[in-house]
């Protein structure tokens, strides 16, 4: 509950800070049932039979992706634009809810920070997924479960050795849980701190 309230305190100002979103033709916040008063009201549950769950497509040569595996998966399956470009808050709200059952308050908080990462002159409206590839802001960070630290050069691509460190905590498990995930993350932080002389973990 405390986490949701904290996200709401970020999300509410973001809504008022980006009034241009309300002018998106045919794709306004009201189109997806989101307004300031109803911000914390979840959308309907995802449809497990949504065909997009089985419609994986590799990104093409002109498509872009982010350091976030979740957003990349949503783009690869068509829950958000497959080219990874022109992400607006309404697109993200609908896509993350349908593909990951994310509540709109969380999506608006994260998506609002994503808008701040864009170099586009129209940052109030959209960003591209590769805009998020900035060290320690807003998504990329050291001690990733599946990527290398920026210090080693490639913080963008999947890195199997780091993922293997995570998987060893899941031997014999078919579902995740908070203790297992926290132990895996703690190990990754300790490993990165030991080998990365420029290690940083937390908001800048």
């Amino acid at each position: 509950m405390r986490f949701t309230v904290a996200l709401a305190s970020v999300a509410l100002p973001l809504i008022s800070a980006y009034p241009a979103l309300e002018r998106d033709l045919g794709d306004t916040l009201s189109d997806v049932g989101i307004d300031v008063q109803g911000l914390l009201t979840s959308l309907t549950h995802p449809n497990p039979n949504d065909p997009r769950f089985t419609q994986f497509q590799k990104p093409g040569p002109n498509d872009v992706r982010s350091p976030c595996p979740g957003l990349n998966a949503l783009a690869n399956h068509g829950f958000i634009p497959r080219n990874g470009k022109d992400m607006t808050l309404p697109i993200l709200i609908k896509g993350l809810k349908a593909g990951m059952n994310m509540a709109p308050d969380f999506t608006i908080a994260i998506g609002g920070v994503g808008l701040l990462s864009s170099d586009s002159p129209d940052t109030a409206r959209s960003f591209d997924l590769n805009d998020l590839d900035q060290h320690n802001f807003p998504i990329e960070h050291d001690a990733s479960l599946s990527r290398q630290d920026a210090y080693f050069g490639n913080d963008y691509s999947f890195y199997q050795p780091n993922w293997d460190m995570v998987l060893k905590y899941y031997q014999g498990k078919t579902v995740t849980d908070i203790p297992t995930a926290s132990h895996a993350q703690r190990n990754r932080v300790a490993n990165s701190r030991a080998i990365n002389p420029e290690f940083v973990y937390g908001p800048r």
Side-chain angles (χ1 to χ4, degrees):
M1 179 64 178
R2 185 178 302 170
F3 184 58
T4 300
V5 171
L7 285 174
S9 68
V10 175
L12 289 170
L14 286 171
I15 286 291
S16 60
Y18 297 105
L21 287 169
E22 288 289 357
R23 298 195 299 271
D24 283 354
L25 295 177
D27 199 21
T28 64
L29 290 176
S30 60
D31 287 336
V32 290
I34 304 301
D35 55 34
V36 173
Q37 292 74 25
L39 183 60
L40 301 181
T41 301
S42 294
L43 303 177
T44 58
H45 288 292
N47 176 9
N49 297 316
D50 190 319
R52 290 175 291 185
F53 284 117
T54 59
Q55 293 175 349
F56 170 82
Q57 293 180 20
K58 292 178 62 175
N62 297 318
D63 298 338
V64 298
R65 292 295 183 264
S66 78
C68 175
L71 289 174
N72 295 345
L74 290 172
N76 292 341
H77 286 266
F79 287 99
I80 58 178
R82 290 186 182 273
N83 64 4
K85 300 176 182 179
D86 298 321
M87 300 293 164
T88 65
L89 289 183
I91 286 173
L92 292 171
I93 288 169
K94 291 187 288 188
L96 268 71
K97 184 61 180 178
M100 292 183 168
N101 199 27
M102 291 290 187
D105 55 333
F106 180 86
T107 301
I108 290 172
I110 299 302
V113 177
L115 291 172
L116 299 177
S117 72
S118 176
D119 291 329
S120 167
D122 197 14
T123 55
R125 296 175 70 87
S126 66
F127 66 93
D128 297 342
L129 290 184
N130 60 341
D131 289 332
L132 302 176
D133 191 19
Q134 302 179 39
H135 183 44
N136 211 38
F137 177 84
I139 287 179
E140 189 277 339
H141 57 83
D142 288 338
S144 167
L145 299 180
S146 61
R147 268 66 177 167
Q148 286 186 292
D149 293 354
Y151 174 80
F152 299 107
N154 183 355
D155 60 353
Y156 194 85
S157 303
F158 178 76
Y159 187 63
Q160 187 68 50
N162 283 0
W163 188 237
D164 288 341
M165 292 183 202
V166 174
L167 290 181
K168 75 177 185 179
Y169 287 89
Y170 284 89
Q171 293 183 8
K173 293 179 178 287
T174 58
V175 296
T176 191
D177 53 68
I178 291 176
T180 302
S182 63
H183 289 315
Q185 182 63 56
R186 181 179 180 182
N187 179 64
R188 282 291 304 116
V189 171
N191 174 261
S192 284
R193 182 177 283 118
I195 64 176
N196 179 357
E198 297 180 3
F199 175 79
V200 60
Y201 191 69
R204 70 181 183 185

